[in-house]
Amino acid sequence: MTDILTSIQDGVATVTINRPERRNSVTLAMWRSFGDIFAGLSADRAVRAIILTGAGADFSAGADIPEFETVRGDADKSRAYEVAVDYGCAGIANASKPVITVNRGYTLGGAAHLSMSADFRFAHTGSVFGIPAARLSIVYGVQATRKLLALVGVANAKRILYSAERFDSRKALEIGFVDAVSEDPMADALAFARSLSENAPLSIAGAKYMLNGLTLSTFDAAEAQRLIDEASASHDYSEGRDAFAAKRPPKFEGR
């Protein structure tokens, strides 16, 4: 059985964490795979938006703790493990397409980092969130902590990390950890993804780079200008002007 499944329909890719028997816990190999999977989807012009979810009842209970003795047994292995986690999550954050997570059941620990790496989070009313690092004597990683801070602010980030307590979807929405809560978050996420797919891909890619870069301290002015220039010289820029003049919906191609 493949631990990560990918499908594409009507311009929306769905990536599914597929270990329901282990509450979709993420192995070291899976962390490494996320980066490659999302890089491939980012380069695919047929994909306009990406949904990340989990099979069965949960998004993910986080890292596969039982394998820690082997893959994270000392400081050196822990450092290498964190590199793999950051690589996987950076693939999500740096994808040029909008990424939406659909969160059901548990979203804990490293899975919170996965979810925070996306642009939007749609949660089920019965979802449970938490970062139990303080109960494992783990310091949550720099990239993950930066994303948490950007979403919920310093006071809420401290409460989440210091207490290691779990919180429900209502609280997650209240503090800005998730963007929407409903009984059918997948249907809502699909509808939202399809609405975004009608807009210019180069505009979204540029906006995503700007916003993530300015928020997460990864902004590079030369790359930002390259994205601006690419959009200004694109077929889609001409199409947008022509469609506006003709009062018709534009048909963007991402080029």
Side-chain angles (χ1 to χ4, degrees):
M1 182 171 63
T2 304
D3 289 339
I4 305 174
L5 303 175
T6 305
S7 63
I8 301 172
Q9 186 173 3
D10 298 329
V12 179
T14 301
V15 178
T16 304
I17 307 168
N18 189 41
R19 298 184 79 208
E21 75 286 354
R22 297 297 303 274
R23 292 191 179 275
N24 295 323
S25 58
V26 181
T27 65
L28 176 60
M30 291 167 68
W31 288 119
R32 291 169 174 158
S33 294
F34 279 120
D36 297 335
I37 289 169
F38 276 82
L41 293 173
S42 185
D44 188 341
R45 244 185 228 168
V47 174
R48 296 295 185 87
I50 306 168
I51 292 174
L52 174 62
T53 190
D58 299 291
F59 177 73
S60 170
D64 190 341
I65 302 297
E67 75 167 1
F68 273 18
E69 186 174 350
T70 302
V71 303
R72 198 174 180 171
D74 55 37
D76 288 339
K77 288 182 178 179
S78 293
R79 193 176 299 114
Y81 188 94
E82 196 65 32
V83 169
V85 172
D86 284 346
Y87 174 73
C89 292
I92 298 169
N94 295 334
S96 60
K97 319 295 170 66
V99 181
I100 308 160
T101 60
V102 173
N103 302 77
R104 300 187 190 88
Y106 288 136
T107 299
L108 303 176
H113 189 184
L114 279 176
S115 191
M116 291 188 295
S117 300
D119 299 291
F120 306 99
R121 285 148 293 282
F122 283 42
H124 184 262
T125 51
S127 298
V128 177
F129 303 87
I131 300 174
R135 298 194 180 178
L136 294 166
S137 194
I138 292 171
V139 176
Y140 212 47
V142 173
Q143 298 303 320
T145 302
R146 183 176 282 140
K147 290 167 186 169
L148 179 65
L149 177 63
L151 282 177
V152 304
V154 66
N156 286 318
K158 286 181 176 181
R159 181 180 294 276
I160 289 168
L161 293 175
Y162 294 5
S163 71
E165 292 176 352
R166 296 176 180 180
F167 51 98
D168 61 18
S169 54
R170 178 195 59 80
K171 185 67 174 179
L173 183 63
E174 177 186 314
I175 64 176
F177 192 88
V178 302
D179 300 282
V181 175
S182 71
E183 291 294 333
D184 194 347
M186 178 57 83
D188 294 343
L190 280 168
F192 184 55
R194 286 168 182 150
S195 73
L196 296 179
S197 71
E198 297 173 359
N199 293 332
L202 296 177
S203 295
I204 292 175
K208 180 169 181 174
Y209 179 81
M210 302 280 193
L211 293 168
N212 281 356
L214 292 168
T215 302
L216 303 176
S217 302
T218 58
F219 181 80
D220 178 80
E223 176 62 11
Q225 190 60 54
R226 185 192 70 79
L227 292 168
I228 292 170
D229 293 343
E230 181 183 29
S232 297
S234 69
H235 166 274
D236 283 356
Y237 182 49
S238 297
E239 166 63 11
R241 297 197 313 273
D242 291 345
F244 181 81
K247 297 182 180 180
R248 62 170 174 81
K251 295 180 180 180
F252 295 120
E253 299 179 14
R255 64 180 180 88

